[in-house]
Amino acid sequence: MRTRNGSADAYRWPWASPATYRPPWPRWPLVEPKPDGGFLTRCVEETERFHRRTRHYTSKGPRIKPIRPEYLATVLSDLAADDALFFADTGTPVIWAARHIKYGPKRRLLGSFSWASMATASPGAFGAQLAFPGRQTIALCGDGGFTMLALGDLLTEVQRRLPVVHIVLNNSSLDFVKIEQQEAGFVPFGTDFTNPNFAVVAEAMGAKGIRIEDPDDVADGLAAALAHTRGPVVVDVLVDPYALAVPAHVPAKTAVGFTLSAARQVLAGRLDDVIDTATHNARLI
């Protein structure tokens, strides 16, 4: 099939070079100027309102114990290199990474971002370190995902002396699954588990281990982890198990589900959990 000019080069369409190829359809602008910026303005204002709600847990983070994951992510954002590669496990680590870590031309957030795909942060950071030797590769791991897959990778990273930084958000639960159950109106079940001291486990495996239990130690602990270049490091951070990942917009169905879950928890004799959730997230609810 020939185009209108009938040239031999054009005959090789669509494999012709860009210099010789001429599309058979007329060219016209596909996007028109939109002088009304009202929609953008409303979106920016709504985003600012949402960030004001969460700012309390970052600006006052040094005085809030247990450690708030929002504060942890904010400090990490300030300390990491401008070309750092961040990898987040599917679940609440993705939420904290997306909201509180700043990205730019060379700084990236990567992950599976798919339903029911746990434990991708550590292997992602592992592979990135092999592809970009010496570049900061940081894995934000849920404690469930870390024990499920990352410990096996850690042995290989030790053997190859790869400086992968694992930051474990240790709240002794499958946090996102717990939130899903509450959203559905259930009493959370099967989401809590007992964790070891991951820093001690890392040291036993030949990696560097850092344990952070106090918010005053967050900055120093993360700085030490990022400065370690002689092999992998595991930062075990005890974060608030009651920290809620509240969306910017809460649909009525979600609010009803959480209310029903809270009522059922009270009837099941778990009033303390309901009170702790409310008091630990008073600025969000």
Coordinates of all heavy atoms in Angstrom, one line a residue, residues 200-253:
V200 N 18.7 -8.1 65.2 CA 19.5 -9.2 65.7 C 19.6 -10.4 64.7 O 20.7 -11.0 64.4 CB 19.0 -9.7 67.0 CG1 19.7 -11.0 67.5 CG2 19.1 -8.7 68.1
V201 N 18.5 -10.6 64.0 CA 18.5 -11.7 63.0 C 19.4 -11.3 61.8 O 20.2 -12.1 61.3 CB 17.0 -11.9 62.4 CG1 17.0 -12.8 61.2 CG2 16.1 -12.4 63.5
A202 N 19.4 -10.0 61.4 CA 20.2 -9.5 60.4 C 21.7 -9.7 60.7 O 22.5 -10.2 59.9 CB 19.9 -8.1 60.0
E203 N 22.1 -9.4 62.0 CA 23.5 -9.5 62.4 C 23.9 -11.0 62.4 O 25.0 -11.3 62.0 CB 23.6 -8.9 63.8 CG 23.4 -7.4 63.9 CD 24.6 -6.6 63.4 OE1 25.7 -7.2 63.2 OE2 24.5 -5.4 63.2
A204 N 23.0 -11.9 62.8 CA 23.3 -13.3 62.8 C 23.5 -13.8 61.4 O 24.3 -14.8 61.2 CB 22.2 -14.1 63.4
M205 N 22.9 -13.1 60.4 CA 23.1 -13.6 59.0 C 24.2 -12.9 58.3 O 24.5 -13.1 57.1 CB 21.8 -13.3 58.2 CG 20.6 -14.1 58.8 SD 19.0 -13.6 58.0 CE 19.2 -14.3 56.4
G206 N 24.9 -12.0 59.0 CA 26.1 -11.3 58.4 C 25.8 -9.9 57.9 O 26.7 -9.3 57.3
A207 N 24.6 -9.4 58.0 CA 24.2 -8.1 57.6 C 24.3 -7.1 58.8 O 24.5 -7.5 59.9 CB 22.8 -8.0 57.0
K208 N 24.2 -5.8 58.5 CA 24.2 -4.8 59.5 C 22.8 -4.7 60.0 O 21.8 -4.6 59.2 CB 24.7 -3.5 59.0 CG 24.7 -2.4 60.1 CD 25.3 -1.1 59.6 CE 25.3 0.0 60.6 NZ 26.1 -0.4 61.8
G209 N 22.6 -4.7 61.3 CA 21.2 -4.5 61.9 C 21.1 -3.3 62.7 O 22.0 -3.0 63.5
I210 N 20.0 -2.6 62.6 CA 19.7 -1.4 63.4 C 18.3 -1.5 63.9 O 17.4 -1.7 63.1 CB 19.9 -0.1 62.5 CG1 21.4 0.0 62.0 CG2 19.5 1.1 63.4 CD1 21.5 1.2 61.1
R211 N 18.2 -1.3 65.2 CA 16.8 -1.3 65.8 C 16.5 0.1 66.3 O 17.2 0.7 67.0 CB 16.9 -2.3 67.0 CG 15.6 -2.4 67.8 CD 14.7 -3.5 67.4 NE 13.7 -3.8 68.4 CZ 12.8 -4.7 68.3 NH1 12.7 -5.5 67.2 NH2 11.9 -5.0 69.3
I212 N 15.3 0.5 65.9 CA 14.8 1.8 66.3 C 13.5 1.7 67.0 O 12.5 1.2 66.4 CB 14.6 2.8 65.0 CG1 15.9 2.9 64.3 CG2 14.1 4.1 65.5 CD1 15.8 3.8 63.0
E213 N 13.5 2.1 68.3 CA 12.3 2.0 69.1 C 11.7 3.3 69.5 O 10.6 3.4 69.9 CB 12.5 1.1 70.3 CG 13.0 -0.3 70.0 CD 13.2 -1.2 71.2 OE1 12.9 -0.7 72.3 OE2 13.8 -2.3 71.1
D214 N 12.6 4.3 69.5 CA 12.2 5.7 70.0 C 12.3 6.7 68.8 O 13.2 6.6 68.0 CB 13.2 6.1 71.1 CG 12.7 7.3 71.9 OD1 12.8 8.4 71.3 OD2 12.3 7.1 73.0
P215 N 11.3 7.6 68.7 CA 11.3 8.5 67.6 C 12.5 9.4 67.6 O 12.9 9.9 66.6 CB 10.0 9.3 67.9 CG 9.6 9.1 69.3 CD 10.1 7.7 69.6
D216 N 13.2 9.7 68.8 CA 14.4 10.5 68.8 C 15.5 9.8 68.1 O 16.5 10.5 67.7 CB 14.8 10.8 70.2 CG 13.9 11.7 71.0 OD1 13.2 12.5 70.2 OD2 13.8 11.7 72.2
D217 N 15.5 8.5 67.8 CA 16.5 7.8 67.2 C 16.3 7.6 65.7 O 17.2 7.0 65.0 CB 16.7 6.4 67.9 CG 17.1 6.6 69.4 OD1 17.8 7.6 69.7 OD2 16.7 5.7 70.2
V218 N 15.2 8.0 65.2 CA 14.9 7.8 63.8 C 15.9 8.4 62.8 O 16.4 7.7 61.9 CB 13.4 8.3 63.4 CG1 13.2 8.2 61.9 CG2 12.4 7.4 64.2
A219 N 16.2 9.6 63.0 CA 17.1 10.3 62.1 C 18.5 9.7 62.1 O 19.1 9.4 61.0 CB 17.2 11.8 62.4
D220 N 19.0 9.4 63.3 CA 20.4 8.9 63.4 C 20.4 7.4 62.9 O 21.4 7.0 62.2 CB 20.9 8.9 64.8 CG 21.2 10.3 65.3 OD1 21.3 11.2 64.5 OD2 21.2 10.5 66.6
G221 N 19.4 6.7 63.2 CA 19.4 5.3 62.7 C 19.3 5.2 61.2 O 20.0 4.4 60.6
L222 N 18.4 6.0 60.6 CA 18.3 6.0 59.1 C 19.6 6.5 58.4 O 20.1 6.0 57.4 CB 17.1 6.8 58.7 CG 15.7 6.3 59.0 CD1 14.7 7.3 58.5 CD2 15.5 4.9 58.4
A223 N 20.2 7.5 59.0 CA 21.5 8.1 58.5 C 22.6 7.0 58.5 O 23.3 6.9 57.5 CB 21.9 9.3 59.3
A224 N 22.6 6.3 59.6 CA 23.6 5.2 59.7 C 23.4 4.1 58.6 O 24.3 3.6 58.0 CB 23.6 4.6 61.1
A225 N 22.1 3.8 58.4 CA 21.8 2.8 57.4 C 22.2 3.2 56.0 O 22.7 2.4 55.2 CB 20.3 2.4 57.5
L226 N 21.8 4.4 55.7 CA 22.1 4.9 54.3 C 23.6 5.1 54.1 O 24.1 5.1 52.9 CB 21.4 6.3 54.1 CG 19.9 6.2 54.1 CD1 19.3 7.6 54.1 CD2 19.3 5.4 53.0
A227 N 24.4 5.3 55.2 CA 25.8 5.5 55.0 C 26.6 4.2 54.9 O 27.7 4.1 54.5 CB 26.4 6.3 56.2
H228 N 25.9 3.1 55.2 CA 26.6 1.8 55.2 C 26.6 1.2 53.8 O 25.6 1.0 53.1 CB 25.8 0.8 56.1 CG 26.4 -0.6 56.2 ND1 27.5 -0.8 56.9 CD2 26.1 -1.8 55.6 CE1 27.9 -2.1 56.8 NE2 27.0 -2.7 56.1
T229 N 27.8 1.0 53.3 CA 28.0 0.6 51.9 C 28.8 -0.7 51.7 O 29.1 -1.1 50.6 CB 28.8 1.7 51.1 OG1 30.0 2.0 51.7 CG2 28.0 3.0 51.1
R230 N 29.0 -1.4 52.8 CA 29.8 -2.6 52.8 C 28.9 -3.9 52.7 O 29.4 -5.0 52.9 CB 30.7 -2.7 54.0 CG 31.7 -1.5 54.0 CD 32.7 -1.7 55.1 NE 32.1 -1.8 56.4 CZ 31.7 -0.7 57.1 NH1 31.8 0.5 56.6 NH2 31.1 -0.9 58.3
G231 N 27.6 -3.7 52.5 CA 26.7 -4.8 52.4 C 25.3 -4.4 52.8 O 25.1 -3.2 53.0
P232 N 24.4 -5.4 52.9 CA 23.0 -5.0 53.2 C 22.8 -4.6 54.7 O 23.6 -5.0 55.5 CB 22.3 -6.3 52.9 CG 23.3 -7.4 53.1 CD 24.6 -6.8 52.7
V233 N 21.8 -3.8 54.9 CA 21.5 -3.4 56.2 C 20.0 -3.5 56.4 O 19.2 -3.3 55.5 CB 21.9 -1.9 56.5 CG1 21.3 -1.0 55.4 CG2 21.5 -1.4 57.8
V234 N 19.6 -3.9 57.6 CA 18.2 -4.1 58.0 C 17.9 -3.1 59.1 O 18.5 -3.2 60.2 CB 17.9 -5.5 58.4 CG1 16.4 -5.6 58.9 CG2 18.1 -6.5 57.3
V235 N 16.9 -2.2 58.9 CA 16.5 -1.3 60.0 C 15.1 -1.7 60.5 O 14.1 -1.7 59.8 CB 16.4 0.2 59.4 CG1 16.1 1.1 60.5 CG2 17.7 0.5 58.7
D236 N 15.1 -2.2 61.7 CA 13.9 -2.7 62.3 C 13.2 -1.6 63.1 O 13.7 -1.2 64.1 CB 14.2 -3.9 63.2 CG 13.0 -4.5 63.8 OD1 11.9 -4.2 63.4 OD2 13.2 -5.4 64.8
V237 N 12.2 -1.0 62.6 CA 11.5 0.2 63.2 C 10.2 -0.2 63.8 O 9.3 -0.7 63.1 CB 11.3 1.3 62.1 CG1 10.8 2.6 62.8 CG2 12.6 1.6 61.3
L238 N 10.0 0.0 65.1 CA 8.8 -0.3 65.7 C 7.8 0.8 65.5 O 7.9 1.9 66.2 CB 9.0 -0.6 67.2 CG 9.3 -2.0 67.6 CD1 10.6 -2.5 67.0 CD2 9.4 -2.2 69.2
V239 N 6.9 0.6 64.6 CA 5.9 1.7 64.3 C 4.6 1.5 65.0 O 4.3 0.3 65.4 CB 5.7 1.8 62.8 CG1 7.0 2.2 62.1 CG2 5.2 0.5 62.2
D240 N 3.8 2.5 65.0 CA 2.5 2.5 65.7 C 1.6 1.5 65.1 O 1.2 1.6 63.9 CB 1.9 3.9 65.7 CG 0.7 4.0 66.6 OD1 0.1 2.9 67.0 OD2 0.2 5.1 66.8
P241 N 1.2 0.4 65.8 CA 0.3 -0.6 65.2 C -1.1 -0.1 64.9 O -1.9 -0.7 64.2 CB 0.3 -1.8 66.2 CG 0.6 -1.1 67.5 CD 1.6 0.0 67.1
Y242 N -1.5 1.1 65.5 CA -2.8 1.6 65.4 C -2.9 2.7 64.4 O -3.9 3.3 64.2 CB -3.3 2.1 66.7 CG -3.5 1.0 67.8 CD1 -2.6 0.8 68.8 CD2 -4.6 0.1 67.7 CE1 -2.8 -0.2 69.7 CE2 -4.8 -0.9 68.6 CZ -3.9 -1.1 69.6 OH -4.0 -2.1 70.5
A243 N -1.8 3.0 63.7 CA -1.8 4.1 62.7 C -2.7 3.8 61.5 O -2.5 2.7 60.9 CB -0.3 4.3 62.2
L244 N -3.6 4.6 61.3 CA -4.6 4.4 60.2 C -4.1 5.1 58.9 O -3.6 6.2 58.9 CB -6.0 5.0 60.6 CG -6.8 4.1 61.5 CD1 -8.1 4.9 61.8 CD2 -7.1 2.7 61.0
A245 N -4.3 4.4 57.8 CA -4.0 5.0 56.5 C -5.3 5.4 55.9 O -6.0 4.7 55.1 CB -3.4 3.9 55.6
V246 N -5.7 6.6 56.3 CA -7.0 7.2 55.9 C -6.9 7.8 54.5 O -6.0 8.6 54.2 CB -7.5 8.2 56.9 CG1 -8.8 8.8 56.5 CG2 -7.6 7.6 58.3
P247 N -7.8 7.4 53.6 CA -7.8 8.0 52.2 C -8.2 9.5 52.2 O -8.8 9.9 53.2 CB -8.7 7.1 51.4 CG -9.7 6.6 52.4 CD -8.9 6.4 53.7
A248 N -7.8 10.2 51.2 CA -8.2 11.6 51.1 C -9.7 11.7 51.0 O -10.2 12.7 51.5 CB -7.5 12.2 49.8
H249 N -10.4 10.8 50.4 CA -11.8 10.8 50.4 C -12.4 9.5 50.9 O -12.0 8.5 50.5 CB -12.3 11.0 48.9 CG -13.8 10.9 48.8 ND1 -14.7 11.8 49.3 CD2 -14.6 9.9 48.2 CE1 -15.9 11.4 49.1 NE2 -15.9 10.2 48.4
V250 N -13.2 9.6 52.0 CA -13.7 8.4 52.6 C -15.2 8.2 52.1 O -16.1 9.0 52.5 CB -13.7 8.6 54.1 CG1 -14.3 7.3 54.8 CG2 -12.3 8.8 54.6
P251 N -15.4 7.2 51.3 CA -16.8 6.9 50.8 C -17.7 6.5 52.0 O -17.2 6.0 53.0 CB -16.6 5.8 49.9 CG -15.2 5.8 49.5 CD -14.4 6.3 50.7
A252 N -19.0 6.8 51.9 CA -19.9 6.5 52.9 C -19.9 5.0 53.3 O -19.9 4.6 54.5 CB -21.3 6.8 52.5
K253 N -19.7 4.1 52.3 CA -19.6 2.7 52.5 C -18.5 2.3 53.4 O -18.6 1.5 54.3 CB -19.5 1.9 51.2 CG -19.5 0.4 51.3 CD -19.4 -0.2 49.9 CE -19.4 -1.8 50.1 NZ -19.3 -2.4 48.7

